[in-house]
Amino acid sequence: MFDEIRFNTILRLPNYVFAEINEIKLKARRAGDDIIDFSMGNPDSKTPEHIIEKLIEAAKKDKNHGYSASQGIYKLRLAICNWYKRKYGVTLDPDNEAVVALGSKEGFVHLVHAIINPGDVAVVPDPAYPIHTQAFIIAGGNVHKIGLDFNEEFELDEELFFERLQKAFRDSVPRPKYVVVNFPHNPTTVTVEKSFYERLVKMAYKERFYIISDIAYADLTFDGYKTPSIFEVEGAKDVAVESFTLSKSYSMAGWRVGFMCGNPKLISALKKIKSWFDYGMYTPIQVGATVALDGPQECVEEIIGVYEKRRNVLIDSFANAGWEIRKPKSTMFIWAKLPECAQHLGSMEFSKQLLTKAKVAVSPGNGFGEHGEGYVRIALIENENRIRQAARNIKKYLQELKKK
Ligand SMILES: Cc1ncc(COP(=O)(O)O)c(C=O)c1O
Protein backbone atom coordinates (compact mmCIF):
# COMPACT_ATOMS: atom_id res chain seq x y z
CA MET A 1 0.00 0.00 0.00
CA PHE A 2 1.01 3.61 -0.62
CA ASP A 3 4.36 2.76 -2.22
CA GLU A 4 4.89 6.44 -2.97
CA ILE A 5 5.10 7.14 0.76
CA ARG A 6 8.72 6.46 1.56
CA PHE A 7 10.46 6.74 4.92
CA ASN A 8 13.63 8.45 3.78
CA THR A 9 15.28 8.60 7.20
CA ILE A 10 14.85 4.88 7.71
CA LEU A 11 16.05 4.16 4.17
CA ARG A 12 19.32 6.00 4.94
CA LEU A 13 19.97 3.76 7.93
CA PRO A 14 21.89 0.54 7.31
CA ASN A 15 20.46 -2.76 8.45
CA TYR A 16 21.52 -3.58 11.98
CA VAL A 17 24.91 -5.19 11.48
CA PHE A 18 24.65 -7.51 14.42
CA ALA A 19 21.22 -8.78 13.37
CA GLU A 20 22.66 -11.85 11.66
CA ILE A 21 24.60 -12.92 14.74
CA ASN A 22 21.60 -12.22 16.97
CA GLU A 23 19.41 -14.39 14.76
CA ILE A 24 21.81 -17.35 15.02
CA LYS A 25 22.06 -16.80 18.78
CA LEU A 26 18.30 -16.80 19.17
CA LYS A 27 17.88 -19.98 17.13
CA ALA A 28 20.63 -21.77 19.08
CA ARG A 29 19.05 -20.77 22.39
CA ARG A 30 15.63 -21.96 21.24
CA ALA A 31 17.23 -25.28 20.32
CA GLY A 32 18.44 -25.52 23.94
CA ASP A 33 22.09 -24.51 23.45
CA ASP A 34 23.81 -22.72 26.33
CA ILE A 35 25.37 -19.73 24.61
CA ILE A 36 28.07 -17.85 26.51
CA ASP A 37 27.25 -14.34 25.47
CA PHE A 38 29.97 -11.70 25.23
CA SER A 39 28.25 -9.79 22.47
CA MET A 40 26.64 -6.77 24.14
CA GLY A 41 27.99 -4.07 26.45
CA ASN A 42 25.15 -4.69 28.87
CA PRO A 43 26.39 -4.77 32.49
CA ASP A 44 25.20 -7.94 34.27
CA SER A 45 25.67 -6.88 37.89
CA LYS A 46 23.07 -5.31 40.14
CA THR A 47 22.90 -1.58 40.88
CA PRO A 48 24.46 -0.89 44.33
CA GLU A 49 21.97 -1.28 47.17
CA HIS A 50 22.12 2.29 48.56
CA ILE A 51 21.06 3.66 45.15
CA ILE A 52 18.12 1.25 44.89
CA GLU A 53 17.09 2.15 48.47
CA LYS A 54 17.02 5.84 47.57
CA LEU A 55 14.91 5.16 44.48
CA ILE A 56 12.39 3.24 46.60
CA GLU A 57 12.28 5.98 49.25
CA ALA A 58 11.70 8.63 46.57
CA ALA A 59 9.06 6.49 44.82
CA LYS A 60 7.04 6.38 48.07
CA LYS A 61 6.66 10.16 48.14
CA ASP A 62 3.41 11.47 46.65
CA LYS A 63 5.02 14.54 45.09
CA ASN A 64 7.43 12.50 42.93
CA HIS A 65 5.00 11.00 40.43
CA GLY A 66 4.20 13.81 38.06
CA TYR A 67 6.11 14.96 34.99
CA SER A 68 9.65 15.89 35.90
CA ALA A 69 12.00 18.52 34.45
CA SER A 70 13.24 17.53 31.00
CA GLN A 71 16.68 19.07 31.61
CA GLY A 72 16.89 17.15 34.91
CA ILE A 73 16.18 18.22 38.50
CA TYR A 74 18.52 20.88 39.88
CA LYS A 75 20.00 18.56 42.56
CA LEU A 76 21.07 16.03 39.94
CA ARG A 77 22.60 18.72 37.73
CA LEU A 78 24.45 19.96 40.80
CA ALA A 79 25.65 16.41 41.57
CA ILE A 80 26.91 16.18 37.97
CA CYS A 81 28.90 19.40 38.38
CA ASN A 82 30.26 18.15 41.74
CA TRP A 83 31.31 14.92 40.02
CA TYR A 84 33.34 16.94 37.50
CA LYS A 85 34.84 19.08 40.27
CA ARG A 86 35.84 16.06 42.33
CA LYS A 87 37.16 13.96 39.46
CA TYR A 88 38.71 16.59 37.23
CA GLY A 89 38.88 19.84 39.21
CA VAL A 90 36.61 21.39 36.58
CA THR A 91 33.94 24.00 37.40
CA LEU A 92 30.62 23.77 35.55
CA ASP A 93 27.43 25.79 35.93
CA PRO A 94 24.48 23.48 36.70
CA ASP A 95 22.05 25.88 35.01
CA ASN A 96 23.79 26.49 31.71
CA GLU A 97 26.46 23.86 31.31
CA ALA A 98 24.84 20.57 32.35
CA VAL A 99 21.83 18.61 31.18
CA VAL A 100 20.50 15.23 32.26
CA ALA A 101 19.74 12.71 29.51
CA LEU A 102 17.68 9.53 29.37
CA GLY A 103 20.95 7.66 28.93
CA SER A 104 23.91 9.28 27.21
CA LYS A 105 22.81 7.70 23.92
CA GLU A 106 19.59 9.71 24.06
CA GLY A 107 21.58 12.84 24.87
CA PHE A 108 23.89 12.27 21.91
CA VAL A 109 21.11 11.54 19.40
CA HIS A 110 19.06 14.53 20.43
CA LEU A 111 22.01 16.89 20.57
CA VAL A 112 22.89 15.89 17.00
CA HIS A 113 19.26 16.28 15.99
CA ALA A 114 19.22 19.79 17.44
CA ILE A 115 22.41 21.06 15.81
CA ILE A 116 22.60 19.41 12.37
CA ASN A 117 21.46 21.27 9.29
CA PRO A 118 20.77 19.10 6.22
CA GLY A 119 24.08 18.03 4.68
CA ASP A 120 26.29 19.12 7.60
CA VAL A 121 29.37 16.96 7.99
CA ALA A 122 30.76 15.39 11.15
CA VAL A 123 34.09 13.59 11.44
CA VAL A 124 33.84 10.27 13.27
CA PRO A 125 36.68 7.80 13.85
CA ASP A 126 36.19 4.29 12.41
CA PRO A 127 35.46 1.81 13.96
CA ALA A 128 32.82 3.50 16.11
CA TYR A 129 30.06 2.88 18.59
CA PRO A 130 27.33 2.71 15.90
CA ILE A 131 25.18 5.62 17.09
CA HIS A 132 28.16 7.97 16.83
CA THR A 133 27.78 7.73 13.07
CA GLN A 134 24.10 6.92 12.68
CA ALA A 135 22.86 9.86 14.78
CA PHE A 136 24.14 12.19 12.04
CA ILE A 137 22.53 10.11 9.32
CA ILE A 138 19.19 10.07 11.17
CA ALA A 139 19.40 13.86 11.49
CA GLY A 140 20.04 14.37 7.76
CA GLY A 141 23.77 15.01 8.04
CA ASN A 142 26.79 13.19 6.64
CA VAL A 143 29.77 11.49 8.22
CA HIS A 144 33.39 11.70 7.16
CA LYS A 145 35.13 8.69 8.69
CA ILE A 146 38.77 8.60 9.66
CA GLY A 147 40.56 5.34 10.54
CA LEU A 148 41.54 4.90 14.17
CA ASP A 149 45.01 3.44 14.73
CA PHE A 150 46.71 2.47 17.97
CA ASN A 151 49.81 0.85 19.39
CA GLU A 152 50.36 -2.46 21.21
CA GLU A 153 49.09 -0.87 24.44
CA PHE A 154 45.85 0.29 22.82
CA GLU A 155 47.01 3.91 22.98
CA LEU A 156 45.84 6.18 20.17
CA ASP A 157 48.32 6.86 17.38
CA GLU A 158 47.98 10.63 17.82
CA GLU A 159 50.15 11.60 14.86
CA LEU A 160 48.11 9.53 12.45
CA PHE A 161 44.86 10.74 14.01
CA PHE A 162 45.70 14.41 13.51
CA GLU A 163 47.11 13.77 10.05
CA ARG A 164 43.82 12.17 9.05
CA LEU A 165 41.77 14.84 10.77
CA GLN A 166 43.67 17.60 8.93
CA LYS A 167 43.10 15.70 5.68
CA ALA A 168 39.38 15.44 6.46
CA PHE A 169 39.27 19.24 6.73
CA ARG A 170 41.14 19.61 3.45
CA ASP A 171 39.03 17.05 1.56
CA SER A 172 35.52 17.38 2.87
CA VAL A 173 33.02 19.61 1.11
CA PRO A 174 31.24 21.14 2.95
CA ARG A 175 33.75 21.59 5.75
CA PRO A 176 33.03 19.49 8.83
CA LYS A 177 31.38 21.32 11.71
CA TYR A 178 31.68 18.59 14.32
CA VAL A 179 34.24 16.03 15.45
CA VAL A 180 33.21 13.09 17.62
CA VAL A 181 35.72 11.53 20.00
CA ASN A 182 35.19 8.68 22.44
CA PHE A 183 38.09 7.73 24.68
CA PRO A 184 38.29 5.20 26.28
CA HIS A 185 36.90 3.94 23.03
CA ASN A 186 34.13 1.50 22.25
CA PRO A 187 34.84 -0.92 20.59
CA THR A 188 38.66 -0.75 20.53
CA THR A 189 39.32 0.24 24.21
CA VAL A 190 41.83 2.82 22.88
CA THR A 191 42.85 5.52 25.37
CA VAL A 192 44.35 9.01 25.15
CA GLU A 193 46.23 11.38 27.43
CA LYS A 194 45.38 15.00 28.21
CA SER A 195 47.87 16.14 25.54
CA PHE A 196 45.50 14.70 22.91
CA TYR A 197 42.70 17.04 24.01
CA GLU A 198 45.10 19.98 24.12
CA ARG A 199 45.87 19.43 20.45
CA LEU A 200 42.24 18.78 19.55
CA VAL A 201 40.95 21.91 21.29
CA LYS A 202 43.65 24.00 19.62
CA MET A 203 42.68 22.60 16.25
CA ALA A 204 38.98 23.21 16.94
CA TYR A 205 39.68 26.91 17.50
CA LYS A 206 41.75 27.08 14.31
CA GLU A 207 39.47 25.08 12.02
CA ARG A 208 36.26 26.24 13.72
CA PHE A 209 34.48 23.03 14.70
CA TYR A 210 32.73 21.75 17.80
CA ILE A 211 33.94 18.63 19.60
CA ILE A 212 31.50 16.08 20.97
CA SER A 213 33.36 13.89 23.45
CA ASP A 214 31.89 10.71 24.96
CA ILE A 215 33.62 9.40 28.09
CA ALA A 216 31.13 6.63 28.94
CA TYR A 217 33.99 4.40 30.18
CA ALA A 218 35.87 7.10 32.11
CA ASP A 219 35.75 5.13 35.38
CA LEU A 220 36.48 1.68 33.99
CA THR A 221 40.26 1.88 33.90
CA PHE A 222 42.96 -0.52 35.10
CA ASP A 223 46.68 -0.72 35.85
CA GLY A 224 46.90 2.90 37.02
CA TYR A 225 45.50 4.53 33.86
CA LYS A 226 43.24 7.55 34.48
CA THR A 227 40.86 8.90 31.85
CA PRO A 228 41.27 12.61 31.14
CA SER A 229 38.33 14.93 30.49
CA ILE A 230 38.44 17.43 27.65
CA PHE A 231 37.48 20.14 30.16
CA GLU A 232 40.85 19.83 31.87
CA VAL A 233 42.08 21.83 28.89
CA GLU A 234 41.84 25.61 29.23
CA GLY A 235 39.17 27.03 26.93
CA ALA A 236 37.66 23.64 26.04
CA LYS A 237 34.19 24.72 27.12
CA ASP A 238 34.13 27.20 24.24
CA VAL A 239 34.38 24.42 21.67
CA ALA A 240 33.24 21.17 23.31
CA VAL A 241 30.60 19.15 25.06
CA GLU A 242 31.23 15.89 26.86
CA SER A 243 28.88 13.09 27.91
CA PHE A 244 29.03 10.50 30.66
CA THR A 245 26.71 7.72 31.77
CA LEU A 246 25.77 5.99 35.02
CA SER A 247 25.13 2.78 33.04
CA LYS A 248 28.62 1.35 33.38
CA SER A 249 30.24 2.85 36.51
CA TYR A 250 27.19 2.15 38.68
CA SER A 251 25.67 -0.78 36.75
CA MET A 252 22.56 1.28 36.04
CA ALA A 253 22.11 0.61 32.32
CA GLY A 254 18.38 -0.09 32.62
CA TRP A 255 17.75 3.10 34.59
CA ARG A 256 18.70 5.22 31.56
CA VAL A 257 20.68 8.00 33.21
CA GLY A 258 23.39 9.95 31.45
CA PHE A 259 24.39 13.56 31.09
CA MET A 260 26.04 16.06 28.81
CA CYS A 261 28.07 19.07 29.91
CA GLY A 262 30.04 21.98 28.58
CA ASN A 263 29.49 24.53 25.83
CA PRO A 264 26.38 26.57 26.80
CA LYS A 265 25.26 27.03 23.17
CA LEU A 266 25.19 23.28 22.51
CA ILE A 267 23.79 22.45 25.94
CA SER A 268 21.00 24.97 25.43
CA ALA A 269 20.24 23.44 22.00
CA LEU A 270 19.96 20.00 23.62
CA LYS A 271 17.77 21.35 26.42
CA LYS A 272 15.48 23.03 23.93
CA ILE A 273 14.96 19.97 21.76
CA LYS A 274 14.48 17.78 24.83
CA SER A 275 11.81 20.13 26.12
CA TRP A 276 9.85 19.24 22.97
CA PHE A 277 10.60 15.52 22.98
CA ASP A 278 10.31 14.46 26.62
CA TYR A 279 9.03 15.45 30.05
CA GLY A 280 12.11 14.31 31.89
CA MET A 281 13.16 11.19 33.67
CA TYR A 282 10.98 9.75 36.45
CA THR A 283 11.93 11.87 39.50
CA PRO A 284 12.77 8.92 41.83
CA ILE A 285 15.30 7.71 39.24
CA GLN A 286 16.87 11.17 39.26
CA VAL A 287 16.98 11.10 43.06
CA GLY A 288 18.69 7.68 42.94
CA ALA A 289 21.13 8.97 40.33
CA THR A 290 21.95 11.99 42.54
CA VAL A 291 22.87 9.63 45.36
CA ALA A 292 24.94 7.50 42.98
CA LEU A 293 27.07 10.51 42.00
CA ASP A 294 27.17 12.21 45.43
CA GLY A 295 27.25 9.14 47.67
CA PRO A 296 29.98 6.65 48.59
CA GLN A 297 32.09 5.67 45.58
CA GLU A 298 33.41 2.30 46.85
CA CYS A 299 30.77 0.62 44.70
CA VAL A 300 32.48 2.00 41.58
CA GLU A 301 35.78 0.48 42.74
CA GLU A 302 34.01 -2.87 43.22
CA ILE A 303 32.50 -2.76 39.75
CA ILE A 304 35.91 -1.88 38.24
CA GLY A 305 37.37 -4.81 40.20
CA VAL A 306 34.87 -7.23 38.68
CA TYR A 307 35.74 -6.17 35.12
CA GLU A 308 39.45 -6.22 35.85
CA LYS A 309 39.32 -9.78 37.21
CA ARG A 310 37.25 -10.95 34.26
CA ARG A 311 39.67 -9.27 31.88
CA ASN A 312 42.60 -11.11 33.45
CA VAL A 313 40.82 -14.47 33.52
CA LEU A 314 39.75 -14.07 29.89
CA ILE A 315 43.19 -13.08 28.62
CA ASP A 316 44.84 -15.99 30.49
CA SER A 317 42.31 -18.69 29.71
CA PHE A 318 41.96 -17.70 26.04
CA ALA A 319 45.77 -17.72 25.73
CA ASN A 320 45.72 -21.30 27.07
CA ALA A 321 43.12 -22.07 24.44
CA GLY A 322 45.50 -20.86 21.73
CA TRP A 323 44.14 -17.34 21.30
CA GLU A 324 46.66 -14.70 22.39
CA ILE A 325 44.98 -11.34 23.01
CA ARG A 326 46.50 -8.09 24.26
CA LYS A 327 45.27 -6.61 27.54
CA PRO A 328 43.24 -3.39 27.39
CA LYS A 329 43.66 -0.77 30.11
CA SER A 330 40.12 0.47 30.00
CA THR A 331 36.42 -0.25 29.26
CA MET A 332 34.42 -3.44 29.75
CA PHE A 333 35.61 -4.86 26.42
CA ILE A 334 38.43 -6.81 24.89
CA TRP A 335 39.28 -5.86 21.31
CA ALA A 336 40.70 -9.11 20.03
CA LYS A 337 42.57 -9.72 16.81
CA LEU A 338 41.37 -12.93 15.18
CA PRO A 339 43.60 -15.90 16.02
CA GLU A 340 46.08 -16.56 13.24
CA CYS A 341 44.39 -19.79 12.14
CA ALA A 342 41.08 -17.90 11.72
CA GLN A 343 42.28 -14.78 9.97
CA HIS A 344 41.29 -16.06 6.54
CA LEU A 345 37.67 -16.26 7.72
CA GLY A 346 37.24 -12.55 8.45
CA SER A 347 35.41 -11.10 11.47
CA MET A 348 31.87 -12.01 10.50
CA GLU A 349 32.45 -15.65 9.52
CA PHE A 350 34.70 -16.20 12.55
CA SER A 351 31.99 -14.79 14.85
CA LYS A 352 29.42 -17.07 13.24
CA GLN A 353 31.65 -20.11 13.66
CA LEU A 354 32.42 -19.21 17.29
CA LEU A 355 28.70 -19.13 17.89
CA THR A 356 27.74 -22.33 16.10
CA LYS A 357 30.83 -24.42 16.95
CA ALA A 358 32.00 -23.07 20.32
CA LYS A 359 28.67 -21.69 21.60
CA VAL A 360 30.32 -18.34 22.27
CA ALA A 361 28.80 -15.05 21.07
CA VAL A 362 31.01 -12.05 20.29
CA SER A 363 30.52 -8.95 18.10
CA PRO A 364 32.28 -8.98 14.72
CA GLY A 365 34.63 -6.00 14.50
CA ASN A 366 33.49 -4.95 11.03
CA GLY A 367 30.03 -4.31 12.50
CA PHE A 368 31.57 -1.15 13.99
CA GLY A 369 33.02 0.04 10.70
CA GLU A 370 35.37 -1.22 8.01
CA HIS A 371 38.48 -0.54 10.12
CA GLY A 372 37.15 -3.08 12.61
CA GLU A 373 37.71 -5.94 10.17
CA GLY A 374 40.08 -8.58 11.53
CA TYR A 375 38.88 -8.09 15.11
CA VAL A 376 36.02 -9.12 17.37
CA ARG A 377 34.74 -7.29 20.44
CA ILE A 378 34.30 -9.36 23.58
CA ALA A 379 32.19 -7.75 26.34
CA LEU A 380 33.12 -8.78 29.88
CA ILE A 381 29.56 -9.52 30.93
CA GLU A 382 29.85 -13.20 31.83
CA ASN A 383 31.29 -14.42 35.14
CA GLU A 384 34.72 -16.01 35.55
CA ASN A 385 33.45 -19.62 35.43
CA ARG A 386 31.59 -18.94 32.21
CA ILE A 387 34.68 -17.25 30.77
CA ARG A 388 36.73 -20.39 31.55
CA GLN A 389 34.02 -22.56 29.98
CA ALA A 390 34.11 -20.36 26.87
CA ALA A 391 37.89 -20.84 26.72
CA ARG A 392 37.49 -24.63 26.84
CA ASN A 393 34.93 -24.54 24.02
CA ILE A 394 37.13 -22.23 21.96
CA LYS A 395 40.18 -24.46 22.47
CA LYS A 396 38.33 -27.40 20.89
CA TYR A 397 37.03 -25.27 18.04
CA LEU A 398 40.47 -23.80 17.25
CA GLN A 399 42.05 -27.26 17.29
CA GLU A 400 39.47 -28.43 14.73
CA LEU A 401 40.03 -25.31 12.65
CA LYS A 402 43.79 -25.87 12.58
CA LYS A 403 43.31 -29.40 11.26
CA LYS A 404 41.46 -28.12 8.21
C1 LIG B 1 30.71 4.76 23.97
C2 LIG B 1 29.34 4.65 24.52
N1 LIG B 1 28.63 5.76 24.69
C3 LIG B 1 27.37 5.71 25.16
C4 LIG B 1 26.79 4.50 25.47
C5 LIG B 1 25.36 4.50 25.92
O1 LIG B 1 25.24 4.72 27.26
P1 LIG B 1 23.83 4.98 27.91
O2 LIG B 1 23.44 3.71 28.58
O3 LIG B 1 24.07 6.08 28.88
O4 LIG B 1 22.88 5.38 26.85
C6 LIG B 1 27.49 3.32 25.30
C7 LIG B 1 26.83 2.04 25.59
O5 LIG B 1 27.28 0.97 25.35
C8 LIG B 1 28.79 3.40 24.80
O6 LIG B 1 29.50 2.29 24.57
Side-chain angles (χ1 to χ4, degrees):
M1 280 281 269
F2 309 139
D3 285 345
E4 76 283 11
I5 300 179
R6 290 159 59 85
F7 306 142
N8 286 349
T9 301
I10 302 298
L11 288 172
R12 291 187 80 207
L13 284 173
N15 286 328
Y16 189 53
V17 267
F18 305 112
E20 216 176 330
I21 294 286
N22 283 343
E23 180 105 344
I24 304 172
K25 195 166 70 186
L26 208 72
K27 274 194 188 142
R29 284 213 168 112
R30 285 201 182 134
D33 284 345
D34 175 21
I35 302 295
I36 302 171
D37 194 352
F38 300 117
S39 62
M40 235 189 125
N42 190 2
D44 59 314
S45 39
K46 192 180 148 197
T47 301
E49 202 57 38
H50 69 283
I51 303 171
I52 299 176
E53 291 294 334
K54 198 69 193 177
L55 164 80
I56 294 169
E57 188 189 311
K60 285 184 176 160
K61 293 191 177 154
D62 296 351
K63 62 169 188 175
N64 283 344
H65 296 272
Y67 293 127
S68 194
S70 85
Q71 63 171 313
I73 58 173
Y74 180 72
K75 277 192 175 164
L76 178 52
R77 283 183 281 121
L78 197 60
I80 289 164
C81 297
N82 289 340
W83 181 87
Y84 260 106
K85 187 85 198 164
R86 228 178 33 237
K87 204 169 161 72
Y88 294 114
V90 166
T91 305
L92 291 163
D93 169 8
D95 285 323
N96 298 307
E97 296 175 338
V99 56
V100 176
L102 301 158
S104 60
K105 187 176 182 180
E106 183 268 340
F108 185 84
V109 172
H110 281 148
L111 171 73
V112 169
H113 213 88
I115 61 181
I116 283 289
N117 302 330
D120 275 356
V121 174
V123 178
V124 183
D126 180 327
Y129 173 52
I131 201 65
H132 285 164
T133 44
Q134 298 316 325
F136 293 97
I137 307 300
I138 295 169
N142 288 313
V143 171
H144 186 110
K145 293 184 182 178
I146 57 171
L148 187 84
D149 276 280
F150 48 89
N151 66 15
E152 298 267 308
E153 309 297 318
F154 292 105
E155 289 157 347
L156 180 73
D157 185 330
E158 259 186 51
E159 291 312 314
L160 215 47
F161 181 91
F162 282 103
E163 226 171 81
R164 287 174 179 159
L165 193 55
Q166 292 286 2
K167 189 169 178 330
F169 276 85
R170 280 198 305 275
D171 292 352
S172 171
V173 181
R175 276 172 75 73
K177 288 185 184 166
Y178 305 98
V179 173
V180 176
V181 287
N182 162 221
F183 300 109
H185 185 243
N186 177 10
T188 66
T189 79
V190 165
T191 58
V192 293
E193 298 296 335
K194 185 179 161 192
S195 59
F196 166 77
Y197 292 122
E198 284 166 347
R199 258 173 108 170
L200 189 63
V201 167
K202 204 167 165 191
M203 185 173 166
Y205 273 99
K206 183 162 175 273
E207 302 287 352
R208 303 182 67 77
F209 61 83
Y210 282 114
I211 302 159
I212 308 174
S213 167
D214 175 346
I215 56 166
Y217 299 96
D219 282 333
L220 305 189
T221 61
F222 321 114
D223 310 329
Y225 174 72
K226 293 266 174 274
T227 306
S229 158
I230 196 164
F231 299 133
E232 289 177 273
V233 178
E234 184 84 31
K237 261 197 261 173
D238 292 338
V239 293
V241 286
E242 189 166 75
S243 63
F244 183 67
T245 174
L246 276 65
S247 297
K248 320 286 174 174
S249 305
Y250 303 90
S251 286
M252 290 171 66
W255 293 50
R256 312 307 301 125
V257 190
F259 53 83
M260 194 167 271
C261 292
N263 183 270
K265 182 171 159 187
L266 267 65
I267 293 299
S268 130
L270 176 55
K271 278 189 191 176
K272 187 163 183 182
I273 204 159
K274 277 179 70 61
S275 75
W276 287 95
F277 282 168
D278 71 66
Y279 283 116
M281 184 188 301
Y282 182 46
T283 302
I285 291 182
Q286 299 198 51
V287 174
T290 305
V291 161
L293 292 174
D294 271 348
Q297 298 298 301
E298 289 79 17
C299 55
V300 179
E301 293 306 316
E302 277 166 31
I303 287 166
I304 297 168
V306 169
Y307 288 124
E308 184 173 8
K309 256 183 152 177
R310 288 178 182 177
R311 174 197 70 159
N312 295 343
V313 169
L314 194 142
I315 298 283
D316 290 347
S317 60
F318 279 34
N320 279 335
W323 189 358
E324 298 276 352
I325 305 171
R326 293 206 314 274
K327 241 184 208 175
K329 49 178 178 233
S330 185
T331 78
M332 55 188 290
F333 305 113
I334 306 270
W335 185 241
K337 208 174 226 172
L338 267 52
E340 218 162 285
C341 61
Q343 278 171 8
H344 65 286
L345 296 174
S347 299
M348 181 57 94
E349 181 56 26
F350 176 63
S351 303
K352 280 190 200 165
Q353 292 198 9
L354 267 190
L355 191 48
T356 52
K357 297 182 193 224
K359 311 295 173 207
V360 170
V362 298
S363 296
N366 58 341
F368 301 95
E370 63 183 67
H371 282 84
E373 179 52 56
Y375 287 84
V376 293
R377 193 195 69 179
I378 303 169
L380 297 166
I381 50 163
E382 293 270 19
N383 68 34
E384 292 166 37
N385 283 339
R386 305 266 296 161
I387 291 171
R388 290 196 184 91
Q389 181 60 51
R392 287 193 287 275
N393 297 0
I394 288 172
K395 187 172 191 170
K396 275 191 219 143
Y397 159 62
L398 291 180
Q399 280 166 351
E400 286 300 312
L401 189 64
K402 275 182 200 153
K403 279 188 210 152
K404 282 187 186 162

